Amino acid sequence: MKIAIIADKKSGHLSQCLGLREIIKEYSKKKDIFVLNKDLIALPGFLERSITLISEKLYLFFLKLLNPNLVDYQYDLVICSGSRTAIPSYLFAKLTGAKVIYIGSPKFRIMKKFDGIVSTKTDISSVYKVITTDLPPTKFKPYEIQKEPNKQSLVLIGGDGSGYDYGESDWYRLAFEFQNINTTFINSRRTPKFAWQNLKENSGKNHAHLDVENTNFKTLENALDEHSHIFVTADSTSMISEIVTRGYFVNVIEMRGPISKEHHHEIIDSLQQKGLLRILRLNQLHLSENKFQENVKEFVVTERDALKSRILKLL
């Protein structure tokens, strides 16, 4: 089966696409990925919506015109995630003779265009081909051999978003609480520059820092494998899902309660109820748990096998 991915600029969307492709079939991570408006040129959103309302064939004509080499490709399946990828991916699949699967919750009017939808939401639609999953696919897969960790804490920090709005005091408190713990910090693209700089300037003697911009996938995977306790700030759904997918238990740090409830919180609550993570405040770090919990890897393997089976049946 030849599989293509249509990706936007969000790393979380690409991670889900890579993960689903890996579940269906082992695949080279970099092969057959089309980044929107880099490898696959699409019209701006307002033009796209206007033209597709008039005629799908007209938009397909423009897509061919903007991407003359598309006729050279033939695929069995196209996987996409992110609202901006939906229509280009559907038309790309149509043009290359492939079926198309969307990961997430597409707008209702274009649901019927997909051959399948993979989502953590259970109330999207009973009509279309929706495959629900408790754990979103990610670019990580469960570890094969349990390695003895040689470092203590790994802390992955996010930033404002997903219903969270942090203040300066929250970031300074985070640095203070980990000051005397052997810790490796990893930032994200949403981490405020002052917060990241403060962590470096006030680091303890056994602290290390990995900048996400300069950290490749293998280095990140090794960091997960090398540390005994893994912490992630509560705003980072993608990072939490990725770590659970690796087969590890996650300590979720809620520095400040959410200002609004989103679907993100339903996912986190569901994973906590299944014993895959624990939500902690900064004054509860002593209650954190080791990453090796027997039920986590077992749950991930079962969930991935079930997802693969349902997708292959659908296709």
Side-chain angles (χ1 to χ4, degrees):
M1 182 183 292
K2 195 173 183 188
I3 305 173
I5 287 173
I6 309 296
D8 59 16
K9 293 181 179 179
K10 291 188 177 180
S11 58
H13 291 159
L14 177 58
S15 177
Q16 292 188 88
C17 292
L18 289 169
L20 186 60
R21 188 174 69 174
E22 181 74 20
I23 288 171
I24 297 170
K25 177 187 176 184
E26 288 189 10
Y27 222 94
S28 168
K29 288 230 174 353
K30 292 184 179 179
K31 189 177 179 185
D32 296 326
I33 298 175
F34 296 84
V35 179
L36 206 61
N37 292 321
K38 181 182 175 185
D39 308 301
L40 177 63
I41 307 302
L43 294 173
F46 70 96
L47 275 178
E48 180 182 87
R49 289 189 292 273
S50 302
I51 293 173
T52 48
L53 281 173
I54 298 169
S55 170
E56 233 172 58
K57 289 183 179 179
L58 181 60
Y59 188 88
L60 192 58
F61 170 77
F62 281 120
L63 201 66
K64 287 180 184 177
L65 215 61
L66 293 168
N67 305 273
N69 295 328
L70 283 188
V71 292
D72 299 333
Y73 296 104
Q74 289 296 316
Y75 290 97
D76 301 301
L77 177 64
V78 173
I79 300 173
C80 63
S81 180
S83 58
R84 282 294 292 118
T85 68
I87 293 176
S89 298
Y90 160 69
L91 294 172
F92 179 89
K94 198 171 182 180
L95 189 61
T96 60
K99 292 191 174 182
V100 59
I101 285 180
Y102 184 92
I103 306 173
S105 306
K107 293 179 180 177
F108 187 80
R109 68 181 180 84
I110 60 171
M111 273 190 189
K112 60 184 178 182
K113 297 183 184 299
F114 298 106
D115 296 289
I117 297 166
V118 175
S119 178
T120 53
K121 289 188 176 181
T122 57
D123 59 347
I124 295 179
S125 171
S126 58
V127 178
Y128 303 119
K129 300 172 182 177
V130 179
I131 297 174
T132 56
T133 178
D134 290 321
L135 184 66
T138 80
K139 60 187 174 184
F140 288 91
K141 60 182 179 180
Y143 64 87
E144 295 179 0
I145 300 171
Q146 182 172 315
K147 298 177 183 177
E148 191 63 32
N150 54 26
K151 297 180 181 179
Q152 194 167 348
S153 296
L154 180 69
V155 181
L156 297 95
I157 59 176
D160 293 346
S162 298
Y164 291 92
D165 185 12
Y166 303 124
E168 287 189 23
S169 60
D170 298 314
W171 295 111
Y172 293 138
R173 176 76 185 279
L174 177 74
F176 174 78
E177 292 294 344
F178 281 96
Q179 197 159 27
N180 297 315
I181 302 173
N182 294 353
T183 306
T184 301
F185 293 98
I186 301 178
N187 64 350
S188 78
R189 291 172 180 81
R190 290 185 292 110
T191 304
K193 289 183 179 178
F194 81 85
W196 187 234
Q197 190 60 35
N198 176 62
L199 279 172
K200 291 180 178 179
E201 291 175 353
N202 295 286
S203 60
K205 60 181 180 180
N206 293 312
H207 282 186
H209 303 82
L210 293 175
D211 195 312
V212 70
E213 296 290 346
N214 305 314
T215 304
N216 60 32
F217 174 77
K218 192 61 184 173
T219 302
L220 180 55
E221 188 176 67
N222 288 339
L224 295 179
D225 294 341
E226 289 171 355
H227 292 77
S228 62
H229 290 64
I230 301 176
F231 299 83
V232 184
T233 54
D235 57 275
S236 303
T237 320
S238 296
M239 290 193 287
I240 292 168
S241 299
E242 287 173 352
I243 294 161
V244 172
T245 305
R246 186 65 178 155
Y248 296 143
F249 182 89
V250 187
N251 299 289
V252 177
I253 303 172
E254 196 163 66
M255 295 192 289
R256 181 188 293 249
I259 55 175
S260 62
K261 285 283 186 179
E262 301 179 2
H263 178 57
H264 153 84
H265 299 102
E266 295 174 13
I267 297 174
I268 300 305
D269 289 343
S270 172
L271 295 179
Q272 180 169 231
Q273 289 168 13
K274 292 177 174 61
L276 307 176
L277 59 83
R278 184 172 187 177
I279 300 173
L280 302 170
R281 305 293 291 185
L282 279 171
N283 61 357
Q284 297 177 314
L285 296 185
H286 61 286
L287 300 176
S288 65
E289 297 185 43
N290 189 287
K291 70 180 181 184
F292 290 123
Q293 306 285 334
E294 288 183 11
N295 64 312
V296 181
K297 185 178 179 182
E298 182 181 339
F299 169 82
V300 174
V301 171
T302 302
E303 192 73 12
R304 284 165 65 90
D305 287 346
L307 185 56
K308 179 178 180 178
S309 176
R310 292 182 67 189
I311 287 174
L312 291 179
K313 185 178 179 181
L314 180 71
L315 297 176

